């Protein structure tokens, strides 16, 4: 038994690249360019290494203020593609809630160098937004203040989502979710 580390890349979803030089099982692989092997299920109907089409439902961003604008653009593009019949008001609400949740995550759920993950899911009844970050601290509403210019994000989320939002722990942090009804 060799003490060398395994050179194969672990599978992510259905695909992985194998650079170990070990011949793979012929029924599970197709040869790709550059002498790499993409492992896939033979019945998935995709050609070797073909990327998924359309806007993905997740986006990983650096925990910095500039990421908020990227999150808004991502949410807008995702809902426009996956729910083309969604009203303009629904689209605006999704972008607003995404912006508020990502802003809170960047301000209170990350430290320098941390990343956040945004996951979106939409159907004809609602759009669910999840923002994952590495800090377990639960978000809480701040008392109202006329002096402060911030601290109203969760009030906005609660008003737009009609109370359909929450926070849940995950192994390395938490995620805050909200559902924007159509």
């Amino acid at each position: 038994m060799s003490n060398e580390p395994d050179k194969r890349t672990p599978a992510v979803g259905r695909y992985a690249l194998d650079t170990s030089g070990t011949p793979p099982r012929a029924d599970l692989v197709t040869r790709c360019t550059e002498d790499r092997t993409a492992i896939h299920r033979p019945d998935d109907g995709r050609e070797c290494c073909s990327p998924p089409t359309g806007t993905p439902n997740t986006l990983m961003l650096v925990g910095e203020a500039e990421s908020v604008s990227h999150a808004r653009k991502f949410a807008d593009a995702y809902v426009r593609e996956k729910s083309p019949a969604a009203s303009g008001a629904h689209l605006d609400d999704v972008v607003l809630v995404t912006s508020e949740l990502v802003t809170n995550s960047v301000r209170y759920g990350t430290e320098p160098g941390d990343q956040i993950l945004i996951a979106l899911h939409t159907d004809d009844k609602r759009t669910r937004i999840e923002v994952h970050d590495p800090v377990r601290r639960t978000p809480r509403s701040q008392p109202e203040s006329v002096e402060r210019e911030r601290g109203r994000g969760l009030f906005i989320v609660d008003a737009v989502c009609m109370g359909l939002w929450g926070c849940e722990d995950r192994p390395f942090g938490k995620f805050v979710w909200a559902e924007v009804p159509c």
Side-chain angles (χ1 to χ4, degrees):
M1 189 164 184
S2 172
N3 288 336
E4 285 187 42
D6 188 1
K7 296 178 186 174
R8 288 176 288 180
T9 304
V12 177
R14 291 184 179 178
Y15 300 93
L17 293 178
D18 182 346
T19 57
S20 68
T22 307
R25 286 183 31 205
D27 62 331
L28 292 179
V29 300
T30 304
R31 285 280 171 203
C32 293
T33 60
E34 299 178 63
D35 206 25
R36 293 180 292 178
T37 303
I39 301 171
H40 66 92
R41 295 181 181 172
D43 60 341
D44 70 2
R46 289 187 169 179
E47 291 185 28
C48 179
C49 295
S50 63
T53 58
T55 305
N57 75 321
T58 59
L59 177 67
M60 184 155 288
L61 295 168
V62 176
E64 298 175 348
E66 295 81 26
S67 294
V68 178
S69 68
H70 295 297
R72 284 193 297 263
K73 291 174 188 171
F74 169 68
D76 182 79
Y78 178 82
V79 174
R80 284 182 190 275
E81 181 180 327
K82 303 297 182 185
S83 273
S87 70
H90 177 74
L91 185 62
D92 291 344
D93 287 347
V94 168
V95 170
L96 174 63
V97 170
T98 300
S99 180
E100 294 299 335
L101 293 181
V102 171
T103 298
N104 281 351
S105 182
V106 167
R107 281 187 181 154
Y108 310 112
T110 61
E111 294 181 9
D114 286 344
Q115 295 181 329
I116 60 173
L117 174 74
I118 303 161
L120 301 174
H121 307 279
T122 192
D123 59 31
D124 58 347
K125 295 179 182 147
R126 54 136 181 105
T127 298
R128 181 179 173 100
I129 304 149
E130 294 180 6
V131 179
H132 299 246
D133 66 50
V135 174
R136 285 261 171 125
R137 190 175 332 120
T138 303
R140 56 192 162 111
S141 300
Q142 300 288 332
E144 287 189 45
S145 170
V146 290
E147 290 90 32
R148 268 195 334 248
E149 292 188 22
R150 56 187 214 189
R152 296 174 184 83
L154 292 179
F155 289 115
I156 293 169
V157 170
D158 192 51
V160 171
C161 297
M162 298 183 267
L164 296 173
W165 69 277
C167 179
E168 296 182 31
D169 288 340
R170 61 187 187 103
F172 298 102
K174 70 171 177 309
F175 67 95
V176 180
W177 60 270
E179 294 185 355
V180 179
C182 288

